[in-house]
């Protein structure tokens, strides 16, 4: 794309001008370079799918071709276009801080590492949604220059070298994103930015515990309630439940609610959730009631195999039977028996967590 004088597109982040977003999108789709605001600093972006535009970006930034640019995405599914096996820790940080000022450096599918970010600024989100593909977006400055926090900063450095800049005033945070490298269950801060390390450290310590049964209406809600009561004010655990065949929004069975209440646990507000891949990917431990639950989860997310456990088997509390029977349709006596079995197994499992 021939480089004209840099076009300035003024867009109010509180009142998106869609015609100008469309204009910026057209420039990008024709191989252009467009600077735009994020909540941290201004970045200059190209479509990640346009190799000629990517080459122009390398030239502009005077960057070694072996070093990849950070990529901006607008939906989580796009992450897996660049990273095959996203660590559980990364998903936990994503859940807590995306969209926002955190760039995660992960092992890419091609053997290198790549930084990935989901910005929160309304203009960057609107543009990413309009172009529909991920974008490579380094800071909109020349090598060694100060990160720009307004369109004038961009123009001082890049006027006549990029096709357009979206002027939305000063960025809200006026600091670079925090860059955090994640491998398996450990992290390293590569650049301290707008997101404080103490917040990352706090989020990284939390263990996500997921209980799974069939309908998420009796066994797993009781298990969730039991463990929440056991940990009381311990914020190092995030506990939730789901079902492999659940109907979203369904209440727990009245028997489960009554048995739990008799033991000082209130699950009357529980609403069933269908198990999703995202739940599986972000859980440190997934406790299931039956072998078929385990098989279903591993088929859904193959990388989860080492994190899915039969609750009875993990706790070592089974006596010849690893499955915890489904009490649905049974009487109160059977529900009480299952509740006691869950309580015993969870108590023993807690020691191992």
């Amino acid at each position: 794309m021939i480089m004209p004088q840099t076009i300035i597109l003024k867009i109010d982040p509180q009142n998106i001008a869609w015609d100008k977003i469309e204009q910026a999108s057209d420039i990008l789709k024709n191989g252009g370079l467009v600077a735009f605001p994020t909540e941290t600093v201004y970045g200059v972006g190209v479509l990640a799918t346009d190799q000629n535009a990517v080459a122009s970006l390398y030239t502009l930034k005077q960057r070694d071709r072996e070093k990849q640019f950070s990529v901006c995405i607008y939906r989580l599914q796009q992450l897996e276009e660049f990273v095959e096996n996203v660590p559980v820790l990364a998903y936990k940080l994503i859940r807590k801080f995306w969209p926002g000022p955190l760039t995660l450096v992960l092992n890419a599918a091609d053997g290198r590492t790549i930084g990935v970010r989901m910005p929160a600024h309304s203009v960057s989100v609107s543009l990413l949604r309009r172009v529909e593909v991920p974008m490579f977006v380094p800071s909109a400055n020349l090598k060694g220059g100060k990160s720009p926090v307004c369109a004038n900063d961009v123009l001082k450095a890049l006027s006549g070298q990029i096709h357009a800049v979206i002027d939305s005033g000063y960025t809200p945070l006026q600091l670079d994103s925090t860059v955090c490298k994640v491998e398996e269950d450990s992290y390293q801060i590569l650049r301290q930015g707008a997101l404080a390390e103490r917040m990352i450290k706090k989020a990284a310590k939390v263990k996500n515990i997921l209980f799974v049964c069939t309908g998420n209406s009796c066994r797993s809600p009781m298990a969730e309630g039991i463990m929440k009561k056991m940990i009381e004010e311990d914020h190092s655990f995030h506990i939730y439940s789901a079902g492999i065949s659940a109907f979203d929004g369904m209440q727990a069975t009245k028997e489960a609610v009554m048995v739990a209440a008799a033991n000082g646990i209130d699950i009357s507000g529980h609403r069933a959730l269908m198990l999703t891949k995202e739940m599986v990917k972000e859980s440190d431990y997934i406790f299931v009631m039956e072998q078929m639950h385990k098989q279903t989860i591993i088929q859904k997310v193959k990388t989860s195999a080492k994190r899915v456990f039969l609750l009875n088997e993990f706790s070592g509390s089974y006596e010849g039977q690893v499955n915890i029977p489904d009490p649905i349709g049974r009487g109160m006596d059977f529900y009480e028996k299952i509740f006691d079995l869950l309580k015993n197994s969870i108590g023993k499992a807690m020691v191992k967590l």
Side-chain angles (χ1 to χ4, degrees):
M1 187 174 184
I2 298 172
M3 186 72 65
Q5 181 179 357
T6 301
I7 299 169
I8 300 172
L9 302 171
K10 288 188 175 292
I11 300 180
D12 181 351
Q14 303 301 320
N15 185 24
I16 299 295
W18 290 104
D19 58 330
K20 293 180 180 177
I21 290 290
E22 184 71 27
Q23 188 176 352
S25 171
D26 287 343
I27 292 170
L28 288 163
K29 289 179 180 179
N30 282 288
L33 286 73
V34 176
F36 57 90
T38 70
E39 66 277 15
T40 54
V41 300
Y42 274 70
V44 57
V46 298
L47 301 188
T49 52
D50 188 331
Q51 293 306 310
N52 290 330
V54 172
S56 296
L57 189 59
Y58 271 106
T59 300
L60 175 72
K61 295 290 290 183
Q62 299 175 26
R63 193 183 184 101
D64 183 348
R65 296 297 180 97
E66 292 302 311
K67 189 176 180 181
Q68 297 205 76
F69 290 114
S70 291
V71 65
C72 281
I73 61 176
Y74 74 91
R75 55 187 176 89
L76 194 54
Q77 291 84 349
Q78 292 176 321
L79 175 61
E80 294 176 2
E81 295 178 23
F82 299 90
V83 183
E84 284 184 337
N85 298 313
V86 181
V88 172
L89 175 55
Y91 277 116
K92 285 195 282 189
L93 297 179
I94 286 167
R95 178 186 179 92
K96 185 72 175 177
F97 301 117
W98 276 12
L102 175 65
T103 298
L104 290 174
V105 177
L106 304 167
N107 291 322
D110 63 4
R112 297 184 289 176
T113 58
I114 188 168
V116 188
R117 182 177 169 202
M118 186 183 288
H121 195 287
S122 60
V123 170
S124 50
V125 172
S126 298
L127 184 59
L128 283 161
R129 287 184 178 276
R130 186 65 191 89
V131 298
E132 299 181 316
V133 297
M135 293 175 62
F136 288 125
V137 188
S139 57
N141 56 4
L142 295 176
K143 186 176 181 180
K146 184 180 178 181
S147 297
V149 297
C150 65
N152 282 340
D153 289 347
V154 176
L155 291 168
K156 286 177 184 178
L158 303 180
S159 182
Q161 299 181 73
I162 60 175
H163 297 87
V165 57
I166 296 177
D167 182 356
S168 297
Y170 282 89
T171 61
L173 299 177
Q174 298 184 35
L175 286 172
D176 289 299
S177 67
T178 295
V179 180
C180 178
K181 184 177 182 180
V182 177
E183 290 187 281
E184 300 299 332
D185 58 356
S186 64
Y187 74 89
Q188 177 186 4
I189 301 298
L190 302 182
R191 181 183 72 194
Q192 181 60 63
L195 181 65
E197 182 177 2
R198 59 180 172 77
M199 297 181 69
I200 294 172
K201 184 177 181 180
K202 182 179 179 181
K205 284 184 175 179
V206 176
K207 286 187 172 69
N208 288 338
I209 311 296
L210 174 63
F211 290 101
V212 177
C213 66
T214 304
N216 193 214
S217 61
C218 42
R219 286 171 292 180
S220 57
M222 288 194 293
E224 178 185 349
I226 290 166
M227 188 168 180
K228 283 181 175 177
K229 183 174 177 62
M230 285 182 177
I231 65 169
E232 293 291 346
E233 298 301 315
D234 186 348
H235 298 295
S236 61
F237 292 96
H238 172 62
I239 303 157
Y240 50 123
S241 64
I244 62 170
S245 301
F247 290 97
D248 283 343
M250 181 179 288
Q251 295 178 314
T253 63
K254 64 179 182 180
E255 294 87 353
V257 173
M258 291 170 64
V259 170
N263 287 271
I265 299 170
D266 182 9
I267 61 170
S268 60
H270 171 80
R271 297 295 181 268
L273 291 173
M274 181 68 174
L275 182 70
T276 65
K277 288 183 178 180
E278 287 69 32
M279 290 178 186
V280 175
K281 290 174 181 177
E282 67 183 28
S283 297
D284 294 279
Y285 293 90
I286 304 164
F287 293 122
V288 301
M289 308 297 151
E290 302 175 32
Q291 185 65 39
M292 69 101 163
H293 299 148
K294 183 175 182 178
Q295 293 169 347
T296 300
I297 291 170
I298 294 172
Q299 286 176 352
K300 188 182 287 285
V301 180
K302 290 181 173 57
T303 56
S304 69
K306 293 182 179 179
R307 295 180 284 114
V308 185
F309 306 93
L310 285 153
L311 177 57
N312 261 356
E313 191 173 52
F314 182 88
S315 65
S317 56
Y318 65 95
E319 296 178 0
Q321 181 177 342
V322 293
N323 290 339
I324 296 176
D326 192 347
I328 194 83
R330 309 288 288 271
M332 285 295 292
D333 287 347
F334 195 76
Y335 267 87
E336 289 169 357
K337 177 181 177 181
I338 297 303
F339 183 93
D340 290 341
L341 179 57
L342 288 168
K343 185 177 180 180
N344 180 52
S345 292
I346 292 169
K348 291 181 178 179
M350 287 283 290
V351 178
K352 298 182 178 182
L353 296 179

